[in-house]
Amino acid sequence: MSTNTLIHRIVRPAVRAAAPTGVTPNQVTTLRLVTGTAAAIAFAPGGTFWPAIGGAIFVLSMLLDRADGELARQTGQSSPGGYWYDIVSDCASNVMAMIGIGVGLQDVFGMWGPVLGIVAGAGIGALFWQLFGLRLAQPRGWEPSPGIVIDPDDALILVPVLVWIGAAAPMIIAAAVITPLAALWLGLQGLRARNAR
């Protein structure tokens, strides 16, 4: 993943201000996990009000996702344990958000809502494991214009946007289809690469 995405640039001034306070990257990661959990809980009741709140909390959680690594780099506190805590917290937050959205869509899909959320979450979990545990691929950012990098994790900003505009139902269907297929494709690519060696 890139360390200079648009979201990194957004959080950088706040991280610079927080760096001298003694706040640790792991504390920021913990806050990321807490806000990710809170977003998932807010998505779960469905309707319009609570999911809108969940979307706002999820945006905060995404900013904290970038802030913890940025703080670690700025303060020289990077560590393998912190890296893995960050990865597991990010994965858990994203998986829980999908499940929360699925639960919240029971009024639209019945019991299929939670099933779609679980399938989307499982796909995200599988992709995280393949990318960071098995290292089957190196996620790379896209640079739409010089100096502006967007990496695959940044695409999650679409989750709250789609919730806010009332498109959570098609989004969870798409996520339940795309994330498992992407995980399957990445797994097959990894097997092909290993067999070619």
Side-chain angles (χ1 to χ4, degrees), residues 20-133:
T21 67
V23 172
T24 69
N26 283 349
Q27 289 169 335
V28 176
T29 302
T30 300
L31 192 54
R32 190 298 200 243
L33 185 58
V34 168
T35 55
T37 303
I41 291 168
F43 286 138
T48 55
F49 177 76
W50 282 110
I53 298 297
I57 297 169
F58 192 78
V59 170
L60 173 62
S61 190
M62 284 188 67
L63 294 172
L64 291 167
D65 172 25
R66 295 304 194 212
D68 57 5
E70 189 67 28
L71 181 62
R73 284 184 291 280
Q74 285 189 22
T75 60
Q77 297 181 65
S78 297
S79 71
Y83 169 81
W84 281 108
Y85 181 43
D86 177 30
I87 293 298
V88 169
S89 296
D90 294 347
C91 180
S93 294
N94 296 335
V95 167
M96 287 186 295
M98 290 296 118
I99 294 170
I101 291 168
V103 169
L105 288 170
Q106 286 184 81
D107 60 333
V108 176
F109 296 120
M111 285 313 297
W112 284 107
V115 170
L116 289 169
I118 290 167
V119 170
I124 288 171
L127 284 168
F128 264 81
W129 174 246
Q130 291 170 321
L131 293 171
F132 300 105

Side-chain angles (χ1 to χ4, degrees), residues 164-179:
W164 291 332
I165 65 169
M171 183 268 303
I172 202 71
I173 292 170
V177 171
I178 293 169
T179 60

Side-chain angles (χ1 to χ4, degrees), residues 10 21 120 122 184:
I10 290 169
T21 67
L184 178 62

